[in-house]
Amino acid sequence: MAKMTMIEAVRSAMDIMLEKDPKVIIMGEDVGYFGGVFRCTAGLQEKYGIERVFDTPINESAIVGMGVGMATQGMRPCVEVQFADYMFPAYDQITQEAARIRHRSAGQFSCPMTIRMPTGGGIFGGQTHSQSPEALFTHVAGLKVVQPSSPVDAKGLLIASIEDPDPVIFLEPKRIYNGPFDGHHDAKSVGWATHPLGEVPEGYYKTELGKANVFREGEAVTILAYGTMVYVAEAAVKETGIDAEIIDLRTLLPLDLETIVESVKKTRKCVVIHEGTRTSGFGAELIAEVQEACFYHLETPIVRVTGWDAPYPHAQEWDYFPGPKRVGRALVETVEA
Amino acid sequence: MPIKINFPTPSARPGETPDFSRYDFPEPGALPVPPLDITAEDTLEYANSLIRVLDDDGNAVGPWADYLGEEGNDDVLLEGLRDMLKMRAIDARMLNAQRQGKTTFYLQCTGEEAIGCAFQRQLNKGDMNFPTYRQQSLLVAGGYPLKDLFGQYYQNENDPLGGRQLPTLHSAKDYGFFTISGNLGTQYVQAVGWAMAAALTGTDNIAAAWIGDGATAASDYHSAMVTAAVYKPPVILNVVNNQWAISSFNGIAGGTAATFANRGVGYGIPSIRVDGNDFLAVLAATKWATERTRNSHGPVVIEWVTYRVAAHSTSDDASAYRPKDEADAWPLGDPVERLKQYLIQRGKWSEDRHKQGEAEIMDEVIAVQKESEALGTFINPQYLSPSAIFEGVYEEMPEHLKRQRQEMGA
């Protein structure tokens, strides 16, 4: 075991896969010599050579499109889009190509590609360094969508994603790259070094895709969360004293409905939280699934706490980011209802 | 004075006299064969001119004819002629079949047969085409079983894609034919990545990217050009300039501002422009391009100048936007007629044998078509298991798809 930040864990996953499988390559803007704007690929080009880890032109559609071409020949490209906010030029390649190639070619071609994207807000990133576009991926048949919330999960899930035979959108919440963040922006930031989830095995291991993690067991209400919001949920639980069960989804598509339903049938109440905007956000899907599967067990309406239906602001960061106060209020209202 | 802007319009509309005077094509044989390692800058004259081999009398002339040598011998050309006739027969039969309601949709490649049929001859096993929907000639010349071709058109048990794809959007990995997407331009940059992988994994295979004149305006065209210029992978970047993108003449794609080959030079990629209706010129240019890419000299752009004789698709009426007789006025003629004339000139073919050959090929095509129709057409559809909808979305079917399959009752 070693102490790792999420950045180091992500890097370790790529390091191990570059070593293990000669078909793995890393490419993206500034990922080569420089080692990435978030340092996630630091040292990898030096270690594996420019043919395995290299810089690309600033063109997301080209990054993903080249990755599709490589993957269909049997390589395992792990490509980076610098910010999830900049995936939109690649949306055509992701949704119409990568996601559909296996199906439309009846299995003649497949696309085992991983697309890493730093995602989420809470960093004063403004409109184009804060977005959470996961719902734009979970709506696409053929994709898998993953979002880790800790160094240990980030490494295990990224290795599993690179080895997965299907295209995986791997969303890295950049707010928790260096340490957990519970939404208390005024508090002193803490690093992963002092957190148990910063303990990461040094070697190869996988965290299975499609399996949620019961982050905290509880009886009063089920909180469905992922990424940074897992720690916001934890803080809200602590501050309200409500014995909530926090489920970290880890994989959004395919969704681990079994774990969710089991929890909601036990607690009979459910709060869904995410940073992304509300309308048609992933929370809507979660609510629909829970409602359908747990209708006769539910004692209260399912509530969601999300980003507002507005572009991510700069100055009003903490009025926008769904922090522990808003989540706590939803918990209290749900439990007391 | 108010500032004016430009809206390009074609030289002739329905009812007007076709006019191709904007093109000033050079005489066949005028251009030399450049060295394989020529720089982009030095290809500028090739990008603005036209490589041609067959002259108006049906003779093969100039350095490109010499360069082709034995690879363009009479047997090869006779086979090429048969491939083009087969392609034309399939187009004719499928156009009718669509009109009869036996399939929902079809796209002809009339007038463009030489490009795919000659190009395919220079590819090796393991090379990969990234075609558009109008390169079915690559399949026909590549020996793709006609039963699979028709199976896809009719969506019956012979359809290798199990009814998932619109007719004409084939996929044939074993024949070096990448899965076609309805989204224009996407395959162009995928070809670059595929070629990079081919090089990185130590193969000697090359990729061929295909795009039409209209789709060069799509952003993935730029994505492909810039990445090909940067990494110099073994990819041939083909632009089939058939003058029309549905109803838009190629000026709407920027084609009257500069040649499409000229753009390649701007990116720093050696680029040539070739008579796409001249089977020998296509063969020779492809030979040069494949040798260049296989020898690590990097990518090459080829603009094939041709004319889309048929309507865009079975859903299109071309007489609504261009003169009905425009194809007859096309200065580069018809690829089948020109190769036929060459072979007759050589004493290897005759009008009679051509008629006989056409009839034989048509019989062969009709026989396969009838066999395929017996297995089901759109009028008389064959039952395709609806559970196929859920298969292959992922390698392993996730729970939610299993639930949906069950819900459907399939």
Side-chain angles (χ1 to χ4, degrees), chain B residues 332-351:
Chain B
L332 300 177
D334 175 79
V336 172
E337 283 303 312
R338 287 174 68 191
L339 183 57
K340 177 180 119 184
Q341 196 189 354
Y342 169 80
L343 287 165
I344 290 174
Q345 180 87 358
R346 303 264 299 163
K348 300 292 175 187
W349 200 238
S350 69
E351 290 290 352

Side-chain angles (χ1 to χ4, degrees), chain A:
Chain A
M1 296 293 260
K3 289 279 180 197
M4 291 189 201
T5 64
M6 195 187 282
I7 289 165
E8 289 161 344
V10 162
R11 186 193 307 147
S12 173
M14 286 187 275
D15 189 355
I16 282 165
M17 290 312 297
L18 282 162
E19 177 82 45
K20 184 169 183 272
D21 184 352
K23 288 183 170 169
V24 172
I25 64 105
I26 310 288
M27 63 172 166
E29 296 157 19
D30 305 298
V31 306
Y33 183 85
F34 178 57
V37 296
F38 291 105
R39 316 309 301 150
C40 288
T41 54
L44 296 180
Q45 185 181 79
E46 198 182 3
K47 189 169 174 186
Y48 296 98
I50 201 162
E51 293 195 335
R52 304 286 307 282
V53 182
F54 54 87
D55 294 316
T56 63
I58 303 174
N59 183 325
E60 287 75 17
S61 185
I63 293 167
V64 176
M66 284 191 289
V68 169
M70 290 179 177
T72 53
Q73 197 181 123
M75 291 192 84
R76 299 222 166 224
C78 177
V79 310
E80 179 181 303
V81 171
Q82 202 160 77
F83 287 85
D85 314 64
Y86 301 133
M87 68 83 183
F88 295 91
Y91 200 57
D92 192 24
Q93 286 287 347
I94 294 171
T95 62
Q96 313 300 298
E97 300 293 323
R100 294 191 188 161
I101 274 178
R102 181 192 296 281
H103 191 258
R104 79 169 192 236
S105 71
Q108 289 177 9
F109 297 92
S110 63
C111 189
M113 170 168 55
T114 303
I115 309 174
R116 293 180 40 244
M117 305 179 192
T119 188
I123 58 154
F124 284 100
Q127 299 207 352
T128 56
H129 301 82
S130 307
Q131 292 176 53
S132 298
E134 62 272 13
L136 296 173
F137 297 120
T138 54
H139 192 53
V140 181
L143 294 180
K144 292 184 178 173
V145 182
V146 175
Q147 185 164 168
S149 66
S150 69
V152 66
D153 275 1
K155 180 172 171 180
L157 289 168
L158 183 53
I159 289 175
S161 298
I162 294 171
E163 291 196 333
D164 196 88
D166 292 304
V168 179
I169 306 296
F170 194 84
L171 297 158
E172 299 168 8
K174 57 191 170 292
R175 184 60 185 81
I176 56 173
Y177 262 155
N178 288 302
F181 176 68
D182 63 9
H184 286 295
H185 50 95
D186 294 334
K188 193 174 177 294
S189 62
V190 287
W192 285 113
T194 56
H195 197 283
L197 295 174
E199 286 281 344
V200 180
E202 281 171 278
Y204 171 94
Y205 68 95
K206 274 206 275 197
T207 305
E208 196 184 343
L209 302 187
K211 296 283 177 218
N213 175 37
V214 180
F215 185 83
R216 180 194 188 277
E217 286 187 15
E219 302 292 330
V221 54
T222 297
I223 303 176
L224 302 182
Y226 47 92
T228 306
M229 295 306 287
V230 169
Y231 302 98
V232 174
E234 191 182 34
V237 166
K238 202 170 148 195
E239 286 152 27
T240 56
I242 290 172
D243 181 27
E245 182 148 298
I246 302 172
I247 295 181
D248 174 6
L249 300 178
R250 296 202 288 210
T251 300
L252 279 56
L253 182 67
L255 186 66
D256 182 359
L257 199 56
E258 203 182 322
T259 301
I260 295 168
V261 169
E262 195 185 330
S263 174
V264 175
K265 283 186 175 172
K266 178 179 72 173
T267 64
R268 298 178 167 257
K269 294 174 181 189
C270 184
V271 170
V272 171
I273 62 177
H274 60 62
E275 289 182 56
T277 50
R278 179 170 303 176
T279 301
S280 301
F282 189 59
E285 181 63 28
L286 291 171
I287 291 170
E289 289 288 357
V290 170
Q291 187 274 148
E292 200 175 308
C294 307
F295 185 77
Y296 295 106
H297 293 80
L298 284 167
E299 291 175 357
T300 56
I302 307 162
V303 171
R304 58 185 150 165
V305 184
T306 68
W308 307 118
D309 281 340
Y312 207 107
H314 185 253
Q316 301 93 335
E317 174 90 60
W318 307 117
D319 296 307
Y320 186 94
F321 184 90
K325 257 192 197 157
R326 274 178 62 202
V327 173
R329 203 155 52 228
L331 289 179
V332 170
E333 282 168 12
T334 300
V335 170
E336 290 178 0

Side-chain angles (χ1 to χ4, degrees), chain B residues 6 10 18 36 40 47 62 72 79 98 103 118 130-131 144 150 189 206 212 222 224 296 310 328 349 371:
Chain B
N6 182 47
L36 293 178
E79 274 193 58
Q98 193 279 337
T103 181
F130 286 74
Y144 187 62
F150 280 109
V189 66
I206 63 170
H222 167 72
S296 294
D328 300 330
W349 200 238
E371 280 173 32

